[in-house]
Amino acid sequence: MGYAPLNALKVFEAVFRHGTFYGAAEELNVTPSAISHQMRHLEEWLGTSLLDRRGKQLKFGAHAVSLAGALRLAFSDIDRACQEVRRKNKNQQLTVAVIPSVAICWLIPRLALFRELEPKIDLKIVYAIFGHEINFEDVDIAIVYADEKPVIPKMETMQFLSGASTPVCSQSFIAGHPGLDSPEAIARCNLLHDTDTTGWHDWLGEAYPAKNGMLADVVFGDFNLLRAAVLAGQGIALCPTAIIRDDLAAGRLTQLSGRTINEHYNYFALRRALPESGPVDIFFNWLIRMAATP
């Protein structure tokens, strides 16, 4: 009879979890007809039927339930063993998912420092887009923006940087607009918005200008676009000071007020929780140290 058909068993386990051929097909990136073919192949090999195909919903018999439970444990053990081999590989590549603002404004300017300390640790930096789920099965470390501490299975989380934002502009903008020392004075200028106008509404409150006669809104769908505009002297933006502290220190941007919004938002660093994490610990601890460095 030969070995059990592993591909067909993988298909069956997916069908059992989803309860439909279509769901399994989407997960495995094949057609529903291919799923059906593998199911027939498995049933022929086993010499018994695993499901009732009558009606819109699939019904699984006792043999199918028992087999699915055993497969789930077996595939979990296989995945755990494979992950362990990957972790023990001296050339392991760390995958770090970072939201674009932190990646461009904070992390990348500091990566050379890490490379000097740990030249043998391979890194892969990818974007973590705000509002989109991260596949933490493929990520060792992530930096995200949230209004509360994320709770992710198998991941440890620490607060990383503050998300508190305050008005900033370029030196060239200040030169053309003296006297920016009050909300009313700021409100008369070109206000640059991140994603929507709620930030400036919150910061200015009643000082937010009426629509009649005010300058047209300019909304940027990405923080890095907003930062580029404010660096170019196109107006005043609300920016997290922790993220743009290099711009502030270098004088590229100037903070106009100590009053902040979004104090309840923070940037969080997440790491994969492993008994032997080696490079993950090294990079994660370096991140935390750098975040605490003025």
mmCIF file of all heavy atoms in Angstrom, residues 51-100:
data_model
loop_
_atom_site.group_PDB
_atom_site.id
_atom_site.type_symbol
_atom_site.label_atom_id
_atom_site.label_comp_id
_atom_site.label_asym_id
_atom_site.label_seq_id
_atom_site.Cartn_x
_atom_site.Cartn_y
_atom_site.Cartn_z
ATOM 1 N N LEU A 51 -16.360 11.988 4.689
ATOM 2 C CA LEU A 51 -17.356 13.052 4.845
ATOM 3 C C LEU A 51 -18.571 12.785 3.977
ATOM 4 O O LEU A 51 -18.526 12.017 3.012
ATOM 5 C CB LEU A 51 -16.737 14.417 4.504
ATOM 6 C CG LEU A 51 -15.984 14.554 3.168
ATOM 7 C CD1 LEU A 51 -16.918 14.915 2.048
ATOM 8 C CD2 LEU A 51 -14.895 15.616 3.301
ATOM 9 N N ASP A 52 -19.645 13.424 4.358
ATOM 10 C CA ASP A 52 -20.902 13.348 3.614
ATOM 11 C C ASP A 52 -21.005 14.599 2.766
ATOM 12 O O ASP A 52 -21.055 15.716 3.293
ATOM 13 C CB ASP A 52 -22.065 13.254 4.600
ATOM 14 C CG ASP A 52 -23.412 13.036 3.899
ATOM 15 O OD1 ASP A 52 -23.442 13.163 2.654
ATOM 16 O OD2 ASP A 52 -24.403 12.773 4.589
ATOM 17 N N ARG A 53 -21.025 14.443 1.429
ATOM 18 C CA ARG A 53 -21.037 15.574 0.517
ATOM 19 C C ARG A 53 -22.448 16.039 0.162
ATOM 20 O O ARG A 53 -22.624 16.932 -0.645
ATOM 21 C CB ARG A 53 -20.295 15.213 -0.766
ATOM 22 C CG ARG A 53 -18.797 14.977 -0.577
ATOM 23 C CD ARG A 53 -18.163 14.513 -1.868
ATOM 24 N NE ARG A 53 -16.718 14.426 -1.792
ATOM 25 C CZ ARG A 53 -16.050 13.421 -1.270
ATOM 26 N NH1 ARG A 53 -16.728 12.394 -0.741
ATOM 27 N NH2 ARG A 53 -14.739 13.410 -1.247
ATOM 28 N N ARG A 54 -23.462 15.465 0.736
ATOM 29 C CA ARG A 54 -24.832 15.874 0.423
ATOM 30 C C ARG A 54 -25.154 17.209 1.087
ATOM 31 O O ARG A 54 -24.807 17.442 2.231
ATOM 32 C CB ARG A 54 -25.817 14.797 0.879
ATOM 33 C CG ARG A 54 -25.748 13.507 0.055
ATOM 34 C CD ARG A 54 -26.701 12.466 0.596
ATOM 35 N NE ARG A 54 -26.348 12.064 1.965
ATOM 36 C CZ ARG A 54 -27.040 11.199 2.682
ATOM 37 N NH1 ARG A 54 -28.147 10.656 2.200
ATOM 38 N NH2 ARG A 54 -26.653 10.883 3.910
ATOM 39 N N GLY A 55 -25.828 18.090 0.339
ATOM 40 C CA GLY A 55 -26.182 19.401 0.866
ATOM 41 C C GLY A 55 -25.030 20.379 0.728
ATOM 42 O O GLY A 55 -23.957 20.078 0.192
ATOM 43 N N LYS A 56 -25.249 21.602 1.222
ATOM 44 C CA LYS A 56 -24.251 22.667 1.084
ATOM 45 C C LYS A 56 -23.118 22.522 2.089
ATOM 46 O O LYS A 56 -22.008 22.998 1.858
ATOM 47 C CB LYS A 56 -24.926 24.029 1.251
ATOM 48 C CG LYS A 56 -25.912 24.363 0.126
ATOM 49 C CD LYS A 56 -26.482 25.762 0.312
ATOM 50 C CE LYS A 56 -27.418 26.118 -0.834
ATOM 51 N NZ LYS A 56 -27.994 27.485 -0.685
ATOM 52 N N GLN A 57 -23.381 21.929 3.236
ATOM 53 C CA GLN A 57 -22.361 21.798 4.264
ATOM 54 C C GLN A 57 -21.814 20.379 4.299
ATOM 55 O O GLN A 57 -22.545 19.408 4.106
ATOM 56 C CB GLN A 57 -22.937 22.162 5.632
ATOM 57 C CG GLN A 57 -23.270 23.648 5.778
ATOM 58 C CD GLN A 57 -23.691 23.980 7.197
ATOM 59 O OE1 GLN A 57 -24.167 23.114 7.923
ATOM 60 N NE2 GLN A 57 -23.506 25.231 7.592
ATOM 61 N N LEU A 58 -20.505 20.299 4.574
ATOM 62 C CA LEU A 58 -19.875 18.992 4.692
ATOM 63 C C LEU A 58 -20.102 18.438 6.094
ATOM 64 O O LEU A 58 -20.025 19.162 7.082
ATOM 65 C CB LEU A 58 -18.377 19.111 4.420
ATOM 66 C CG LEU A 58 -17.971 19.658 3.047
ATOM 67 C CD1 LEU A 58 -16.449 19.765 2.965
ATOM 68 C CD2 LEU A 58 -18.505 18.767 1.932
ATOM 69 N N LYS A 59 -20.386 17.151 6.176
ATOM 70 C CA LYS A 59 -20.564 16.498 7.462
ATOM 71 C C LYS A 59 -19.498 15.423 7.615
ATOM 72 O O LYS A 59 -19.305 14.596 6.724
ATOM 73 C CB LYS A 59 -21.967 15.888 7.553
ATOM 74 C CG LYS A 59 -23.080 16.925 7.538
ATOM 75 C CD LYS A 59 -24.454 16.266 7.701
ATOM 76 C CE LYS A 59 -25.562 17.312 7.695
ATOM 77 N NZ LYS A 59 -26.907 16.690 7.852
ATOM 78 N N PHE A 60 -18.796 15.467 8.763
ATOM 79 C CA PHE A 60 -17.679 14.567 8.999
ATOM 80 C C PHE A 60 -18.072 13.454 9.966
ATOM 81 O O PHE A 60 -18.699 13.710 10.989
ATOM 82 C CB PHE A 60 -16.483 15.346 9.562
ATOM 83 C CG PHE A 60 -15.973 16.407 8.644
ATOM 84 C CD1 PHE A 60 -16.460 17.706 8.725
ATOM 85 C CD2 PHE A 60 -15.016 16.114 7.680
ATOM 86 C CE1 PHE A 60 -15.996 18.698 7.877
ATOM 87 C CE2 PHE A 60 -14.545 17.101 6.826
ATOM 88 C CZ PHE A 60 -15.031 18.392 6.916
ATOM 89 N N GLY A 61 -17.669 12.251 9.617
ATOM 90 C CA GLY A 61 -17.951 11.113 10.469
ATOM 91 C C GLY A 61 -16.937 10.977 11.585
ATOM 92 O O GLY A 61 -15.989 11.761 11.708
ATOM 93 N N ALA A 62 -17.123 9.953 12.412
ATOM 94 C CA ALA A 62 -16.251 9.733 13.571
ATOM 95 C C ALA A 62 -14.807 9.489 13.149
ATOM 96 O O ALA A 62 -13.864 9.968 13.800
ATOM 97 C CB ALA A 62 -16.771 8.556 14.392
ATOM 98 N N HIS A 63 -14.611 8.727 12.044
ATOM 99 C CA HIS A 63 -13.249 8.477 11.567
ATOM 100 C C HIS A 63 -12.567 9.782 11.171
ATOM 101 O O HIS A 63 -11.373 9.986 11.444
ATOM 102 C CB HIS A 63 -13.264 7.512 10.377
ATOM 103 C CG HIS A 63 -13.681 6.122 10.722
ATOM 104 N ND1 HIS A 63 -13.088 5.394 11.721
ATOM 105 C CD2 HIS A 63 -14.642 5.312 10.189
ATOM 106 C CE1 HIS A 63 -13.649 4.200 11.806
ATOM 107 N NE2 HIS A 63 -14.609 4.128 10.881
ATOM 108 N N ALA A 64 -13.309 10.678 10.523
ATOM 109 C CA ALA A 64 -12.748 11.947 10.079
ATOM 110 C C ALA A 64 -12.350 12.816 11.256
ATOM 111 O O ALA A 64 -11.284 13.446 11.261
ATOM 112 C CB ALA A 64 -13.754 12.681 9.196
ATOM 113 N N VAL A 65 -13.184 12.881 12.283
ATOM 114 C CA VAL A 65 -12.890 13.684 13.467
ATOM 115 C C VAL A 65 -11.628 13.178 14.156
ATOM 116 O O VAL A 65 -10.756 13.950 14.558
ATOM 117 C CB VAL A 65 -14.086 13.680 14.439
ATOM 118 C CG1 VAL A 65 -13.721 14.394 15.736
ATOM 119 C CG2 VAL A 65 -15.302 14.338 13.792
ATOM 120 N N SER A 66 -11.524 11.866 14.291
ATOM 121 C CA SER A 66 -10.357 11.272 14.939
ATOM 122 C C SER A 66 -9.090 11.545 14.134
ATOM 123 O O SER A 66 -8.046 11.921 14.682
ATOM 124 C CB SER A 66 -10.572 9.769 15.099
ATOM 125 O OG SER A 66 -9.418 9.149 15.628
ATOM 126 N N LEU A 67 -9.176 11.371 12.818
ATOM 127 C CA LEU A 67 -8.018 11.592 11.954
ATOM 128 C C LEU A 67 -7.596 13.057 11.974
ATOM 129 O O LEU A 67 -6.399 13.374 12.045
ATOM 130 C CB LEU A 67 -8.345 11.155 10.528
ATOM 131 C CG LEU A 67 -7.240 11.360 9.480
ATOM 132 C CD1 LEU A 67 -5.980 10.584 9.866
ATOM 133 C CD2 LEU A 67 -7.734 10.932 8.096
ATOM 134 N N ALA A 68 -8.553 13.969 11.941
ATOM 135 C CA ALA A 68 -8.240 15.403 11.942
ATOM 136 C C ALA A 68 -7.511 15.809 13.212
ATOM 137 O O ALA A 68 -6.558 16.598 13.186
ATOM 138 C CB ALA A 68 -9.519 16.223 11.777
ATOM 139 N N GLY A 69 -7.943 15.269 14.366
ATOM 140 C CA GLY A 69 -7.275 15.583 15.624
ATOM 141 C C GLY A 69 -5.838 15.111 15.641
ATOM 142 O O GLY A 69 -4.935 15.832 16.089
ATOM 143 N N ALA A 70 -5.618 13.903 15.136
ATOM 144 C CA ALA A 70 -4.259 13.362 15.102
ATOM 145 C C ALA A 70 -3.370 14.165 14.150
ATOM 146 O O ALA A 70 -2.195 14.432 14.442
ATOM 147 C CB ALA A 70 -4.299 11.892 14.676
ATOM 148 N N LEU A 71 -3.934 14.562 13.007
ATOM 149 C CA LEU A 71 -3.171 15.343 12.039
ATOM 150 C C LEU A 71 -2.793 16.710 12.590
ATOM 151 O O LEU A 71 -1.684 17.201 12.357
ATOM 152 C CB LEU A 71 -3.969 15.503 10.744
ATOM 153 C CG LEU A 71 -4.115 14.243 9.891
ATOM 154 C CD1 LEU A 71 -5.066 14.508 8.733
ATOM 155 C CD2 LEU A 71 -2.754 13.792 9.360
ATOM 156 N N ARG A 72 -3.716 17.346 13.308
ATOM 157 C CA ARG A 72 -3.425 18.666 13.855
ATOM 158 C C ARG A 72 -2.221 18.590 14.800
ATOM 159 O O ARG A 72 -1.322 19.439 14.765
ATOM 160 C CB ARG A 72 -4.645 19.211 14.590
ATOM 161 C CG ARG A 72 -4.459 20.642 15.098
ATOM 162 C CD ARG A 72 -5.732 21.202 15.700
ATOM 163 N NE ARG A 72 -6.777 21.320 14.705
ATOM 164 C CZ ARG A 72 -7.885 20.585 14.679
ATOM 165 N NH1 ARG A 72 -8.076 19.665 15.608
ATOM 166 N NH2 ARG A 72 -8.798 20.754 13.753
ATOM 167 N N LEU A 73 -2.187 17.560 15.649
ATOM 168 C CA LEU A 73 -1.066 17.399 16.562
ATOM 169 C C LEU A 73 0.224 17.086 15.807
ATOM 170 O O LEU A 73 1.292 17.618 16.121
ATOM 171 C CB LEU A 73 -1.369 16.282 17.563
ATOM 172 C CG LEU A 73 -2.490 16.559 18.578
ATOM 173 C CD1 LEU A 73 -2.774 15.304 19.404
ATOM 174 C CD2 LEU A 73 -2.110 17.718 19.485
ATOM 175 N N ALA A 74 0.105 16.218 14.792
ATOM 176 C CA ALA A 74 1.291 15.827 14.031
ATOM 177 C C ALA A 74 1.886 17.008 13.266
ATOM 178 O O ALA A 74 3.106 17.238 13.291
ATOM 179 C CB ALA A 74 0.927 14.697 13.060
ATOM 180 N N PHE A 75 1.037 17.770 12.590
ATOM 181 C CA PHE A 75 1.535 18.926 11.831
ATOM 182 C C PHE A 75 2.123 19.978 12.767
ATOM 183 O O PHE A 75 3.096 20.653 12.427
ATOM 184 C CB PHE A 75 0.420 19.532 10.987
ATOM 185 C CG PHE A 75 0.039 18.698 9.791
ATOM 186 C CD1 PHE A 75 -1.286 18.527 9.429
ATOM 187 C CD2 PHE A 75 1.014 18.077 9.029
ATOM 188 C CE1 PHE A 75 -1.634 17.755 8.330
ATOM 189 C CE2 PHE A 75 0.684 17.305 7.927
ATOM 190 C CZ PHE A 75 -0.657 17.134 7.570
ATOM 191 N N SER A 76 1.541 20.113 13.960
ATOM 192 C CA SER A 76 2.081 21.053 14.940
ATOM 193 C C SER A 76 3.469 20.621 15.390
ATOM 194 O O SER A 76 4.387 21.446 15.517
ATOM 195 C CB SER A 76 1.135 21.163 16.140
ATOM 196 O OG SER A 76 1.667 22.009 17.128
ATOM 197 N N ASP A 77 3.643 19.317 15.620
ATOM 198 C CA ASP A 77 4.957 18.799 16.022
ATOM 199 C C ASP A 77 5.986 18.994 14.912
ATOM 200 O O ASP A 77 7.142 19.349 15.165
ATOM 201 C CB ASP A 77 4.856 17.313 16.371
ATOM 202 C CG ASP A 77 4.134 17.079 17.694
ATOM 203 O OD1 ASP A 77 4.010 18.041 18.470
ATOM 204 O OD2 ASP A 77 3.682 15.944 17.934
ATOM 205 N N ILE A 78 5.563 18.751 13.674
ATOM 206 C CA ILE A 78 6.474 18.927 12.531
ATOM 207 C C ILE A 78 6.901 20.382 12.417
ATOM 208 O O ILE A 78 8.084 20.701 12.221
ATOM 209 C CB ILE A 78 5.799 18.461 11.230
ATOM 210 C CG1 ILE A 78 5.616 16.941 11.250
ATOM 211 C CG2 ILE A 78 6.625 18.880 10.008
ATOM 212 C CD1 ILE A 78 4.754 16.416 10.108
ATOM 213 N N ASP A 79 5.938 21.307 12.536
ATOM 214 C CA ASP A 79 6.259 22.729 12.436
ATOM 215 C C ASP A 79 7.202 23.155 13.548
ATOM 216 O O ASP A 79 8.156 23.903 13.321
ATOM 217 C CB ASP A 79 4.972 23.549 12.495
ATOM 218 C CG ASP A 79 5.235 25.041 12.391
ATOM 219 O OD1 ASP A 79 5.645 25.491 11.307
ATOM 220 O OD2 ASP A 79 5.042 25.757 13.394
ATOM 221 N N ARG A 80 6.956 22.646 14.770
ATOM 222 C CA ARG A 80 7.803 23.007 15.905
ATOM 223 C C ARG A 80 9.240 22.513 15.679
ATOM 224 O O ARG A 80 10.203 23.230 15.958
ATOM 225 C CB ARG A 80 7.234 22.400 17.187
ATOM 226 C CG ARG A 80 7.896 22.906 18.457
ATOM 227 C CD ARG A 80 7.262 22.297 19.709
ATOM 228 N NE ARG A 80 5.839 22.593 19.766
ATOM 229 C CZ ARG A 80 4.875 21.697 19.603
ATOM 230 N NH1 ARG A 80 5.203 20.417 19.359
ATOM 231 N NH2 ARG A 80 3.610 22.029 19.683
ATOM 232 N N ALA A 81 9.377 21.301 15.149
ATOM 233 C CA ALA A 81 10.712 20.759 14.897
ATOM 234 C C ALA A 81 11.437 21.550 13.818
ATOM 235 O O ALA A 81 12.638 21.833 13.929
ATOM 236 C CB ALA A 81 10.599 19.287 14.484
ATOM 237 N N CYS A 82 10.710 21.941 12.774
ATOM 238 C CA CYS A 82 11.314 22.731 11.689
ATOM 239 C C CYS A 82 11.758 24.096 12.192
ATOM 240 O O CYS A 82 12.842 24.588 11.832
ATOM 241 C CB CYS A 82 10.326 22.884 10.539
ATOM 242 S SG CYS A 82 9.990 21.354 9.624
ATOM 243 N N GLN A 83 10.901 24.731 13.023
ATOM 244 C CA GLN A 83 11.256 26.039 13.567
ATOM 245 C C GLN A 83 12.493 25.941 14.456
ATOM 246 O O GLN A 83 13.337 26.860 14.465
ATOM 247 C CB GLN A 83 10.080 26.622 14.364
ATOM 248 C CG GLN A 83 8.852 26.961 13.544
ATOM 249 C CD GLN A 83 9.123 28.043 12.521
ATOM 250 O OE1 GLN A 83 10.047 28.857 12.665
ATOM 251 N NE2 GLN A 83 8.324 28.063 11.473
ATOM 252 N N GLU A 84 12.618 24.846 15.187
ATOM 253 C CA GLU A 84 13.774 24.662 16.056
ATOM 254 C C GLU A 84 15.053 24.534 15.239
ATOM 255 O O GLU A 84 16.101 25.091 15.605
ATOM 256 C CB GLU A 84 13.581 23.417 16.923
ATOM 257 C CG GLU A 84 14.637 23.227 18.000
ATOM 258 C CD GLU A 84 14.615 24.347 19.038
ATOM 259 O OE1 GLU A 84 13.565 25.002 19.197
ATOM 260 O OE2 GLU A 84 15.674 24.551 19.663
ATOM 261 N N VAL A 85 14.986 23.825 14.112
ATOM 262 C CA VAL A 85 16.150 23.707 13.234
ATOM 263 C C VAL A 85 16.542 25.074 12.694
ATOM 264 O O VAL A 85 17.724 25.438 12.636
ATOM 265 C CB VAL A 85 15.854 22.723 12.077
ATOM 266 C CG1 VAL A 85 16.977 22.776 11.040
ATOM 267 C CG2 VAL A 85 15.686 21.308 12.615
ATOM 268 N N ARG A 86 15.541 25.865 12.296
ATOM 269 C CA ARG A 86 15.818 27.208 11.775
ATOM 270 C C ARG A 86 16.488 28.084 12.830
ATOM 271 O O ARG A 86 17.418 28.826 12.544
ATOM 272 C CB ARG A 86 14.522 27.877 11.317
ATOM 273 C CG ARG A 86 13.914 27.298 10.058
ATOM 274 C CD ARG A 86 12.696 28.100 9.652
ATOM 275 N NE ARG A 86 13.063 29.469 9.319
ATOM 276 C CZ ARG A 86 12.200 30.461 9.184
ATOM 277 N NH1 ARG A 86 10.911 30.241 9.389
ATOM 278 N NH2 ARG A 86 12.606 31.670 8.874
ATOM 279 N N ARG A 87 16.010 27.988 14.086
ATOM 280 C CA ARG A 87 16.554 28.836 15.141
ATOM 281 C C ARG A 87 18.004 28.475 15.460
ATOM 282 O O ARG A 87 18.793 29.332 15.864
ATOM 283 C CB ARG A 87 15.712 28.713 16.412
ATOM 284 C CG ARG A 87 14.319 29.297 16.263
ATOM 285 C CD ARG A 87 13.533 29.192 17.563
ATOM 286 N NE ARG A 87 12.105 29.333 17.303
ATOM 287 C CZ ARG A 87 11.206 28.386 17.447
ATOM 288 N NH1 ARG A 87 11.585 27.203 17.874
ATOM 289 N NH2 ARG A 87 9.939 28.599 17.182
ATOM 290 N N LYS A 88 18.353 27.191 15.338
ATOM 291 C CA LYS A 88 19.709 26.752 15.651
ATOM 292 C C LYS A 88 20.676 26.989 14.501
ATOM 293 O O LYS A 88 21.877 26.812 14.661
ATOM 294 C CB LYS A 88 19.695 25.272 16.022
ATOM 295 C CG LYS A 88 19.001 25.005 17.364
ATOM 296 C CD LYS A 88 19.025 23.543 17.733
ATOM 297 C CE LYS A 88 18.359 23.317 19.098
ATOM 298 N NZ LYS A 88 18.334 21.887 19.471
ATOM 299 N N ASN A 89 20.153 27.404 13.365
ATOM 300 C CA ASN A 89 21.007 27.706 12.221
ATOM 301 C C ASN A 89 21.793 28.975 12.515
ATOM 302 O O ASN A 89 21.232 30.026 12.791
ATOM 303 C CB ASN A 89 20.128 27.900 10.972
ATOM 304 C CG ASN A 89 20.960 28.188 9.733
ATOM 305 O OD1 ASN A 89 22.177 28.332 9.805
ATOM 306 N ND2 ASN A 89 20.291 28.263 8.610
ATOM 307 N N LYS A 90 23.118 28.884 12.476
ATOM 308 C CA LYS A 90 23.949 30.035 12.812
ATOM 309 C C LYS A 90 23.712 31.209 11.864
ATOM 310 O O LYS A 90 23.991 32.356 12.217
ATOM 311 C CB LYS A 90 25.427 29.633 12.791
ATOM 312 C CG LYS A 90 25.803 28.661 13.901
ATOM 313 C CD LYS A 90 27.272 28.335 13.872
ATOM 314 C CE LYS A 90 27.642 27.369 14.992
ATOM 315 N NZ LYS A 90 29.080 27.038 14.998
ATOM 316 N N ASN A 91 23.228 30.950 10.682
ATOM 317 C CA ASN A 91 22.988 32.009 9.710
ATOM 318 C C ASN A 91 21.515 32.437 9.698
ATOM 319 O O ASN A 91 21.014 32.924 8.693
ATOM 320 C CB ASN A 91 23.397 31.552 8.310
ATOM 321 C CG ASN A 91 24.887 31.269 8.229
ATOM 322 O OD1 ASN A 91 25.685 32.003 8.793
ATOM 323 N ND2 ASN A 91 25.242 30.200 7.538
ATOM 324 N N GLN A 92 20.842 32.255 10.832
ATOM 325 C CA GLN A 92 19.424 32.596 10.907
ATOM 326 C C GLN A 92 19.208 34.066 10.573
ATOM 327 O O GLN A 92 19.929 34.943 11.019
ATOM 328 C CB GLN A 92 18.896 32.328 12.313
ATOM 329 C CG GLN A 92 17.438 32.736 12.499
ATOM 330 C CD GLN A 92 17.005 32.678 13.947
ATOM 331 O OE1 GLN A 92 17.787 32.331 14.803
ATOM 332 N NE2 GLN A 92 15.771 33.028 14.213
ATOM 333 N N GLN A 93 18.194 34.317 9.781
ATOM 334 C CA GLN A 93 17.833 35.676 9.407
ATOM 335 C C GLN A 93 16.672 36.152 10.267
ATOM 336 O O GLN A 93 15.629 35.505 10.339
ATOM 337 C CB GLN A 93 17.427 35.727 7.923
ATOM 338 C CG GLN A 93 17.054 37.114 7.428
ATOM 339 C CD GLN A 93 16.536 37.064 6.007
ATOM 340 O OE1 GLN A 93 15.440 36.588 5.741
ATOM 341 N NE2 GLN A 93 17.347 37.535 5.069
ATOM 342 N N LEU A 94 16.857 37.258 10.944
ATOM 343 C CA LEU A 94 15.778 37.834 11.746
ATOM 344 C C LEU A 94 14.873 38.659 10.852
ATOM 345 O O LEU A 94 15.342 39.495 10.073
ATOM 346 C CB LEU A 94 16.349 38.751 12.837
ATOM 347 C CG LEU A 94 17.073 38.114 14.014
ATOM 348 C CD1 LEU A 94 17.407 39.184 15.036
ATOM 349 C CD2 LEU A 94 16.254 37.019 14.638
ATOM 350 N N THR A 95 13.572 38.432 10.973
ATOM 351 C CA THR A 95 12.597 39.234 10.244
ATOM 352 C C THR A 95 11.967 40.219 11.213
ATOM 353 O O THR A 95 11.394 39.828 12.230
ATOM 354 C CB THR A 95 11.511 38.351 9.610
ATOM 355 O OG1 THR A 95 12.128 37.447 8.685
ATOM 356 C CG2 THR A 95 10.494 39.203 8.863
ATOM 357 N N VAL A 96 12.103 41.506 10.884
ATOM 358 C CA VAL A 96 11.616 42.580 11.746
ATOM 359 C C VAL A 96 10.575 43.379 10.968
ATOM 360 O O VAL A 96 10.879 43.968 9.935
ATOM 361 C CB VAL A 96 12.766 43.503 12.195
ATOM 362 C CG1 VAL A 96 12.252 44.570 13.159
ATOM 363 C CG2 VAL A 96 13.892 42.694 12.830
ATOM 364 N N ALA A 97 9.338 43.379 11.460
ATOM 365 C CA ALA A 97 8.253 44.137 10.827
ATOM 366 C C ALA A 97 8.094 45.463 11.572
ATOM 367 O O ALA A 97 7.897 45.481 12.787
ATOM 368 C CB ALA A 97 6.951 43.341 10.868
ATOM 369 N N VAL A 98 8.176 46.558 10.830
ATOM 370 C CA VAL A 98 8.176 47.885 11.454
ATOM 371 C C VAL A 98 7.223 48.796 10.692
ATOM 372 O O VAL A 98 7.225 48.810 9.452
ATOM 373 C CB VAL A 98 9.589 48.509 11.433
ATOM 374 C CG1 VAL A 98 9.639 49.762 12.300
ATOM 375 C CG2 VAL A 98 10.634 47.512 11.870
ATOM 376 N N ILE A 99 6.425 49.581 11.423
ATOM 377 C CA ILE A 99 5.564 50.528 10.724
ATOM 378 C C ILE A 99 6.453 51.543 9.998
ATOM 379 O O ILE A 99 7.542 51.878 10.472
ATOM 380 C CB ILE A 99 4.576 51.224 11.678
ATOM 381 C CG1 ILE A 99 5.304 52.029 12.749
ATOM 382 C CG2 ILE A 99 3.652 50.222 12.338
ATOM 383 C CD1 ILE A 99 4.360 52.848 13.591
ATOM 384 N N PRO A 100 6.029 52.023 8.823
ATOM 385 C CA PRO A 100 6.892 52.851 7.981
ATOM 386 C C PRO A 100 7.494 54.063 8.674
ATOM 387 O O PRO A 100 8.666 54.389 8.455
ATOM 388 C CB PRO A 100 5.961 53.265 6.838
ATOM 389 C CG PRO A 100 4.974 52.139 6.740
ATOM 390 C CD PRO A 100 4.749 51.694 8.157
#
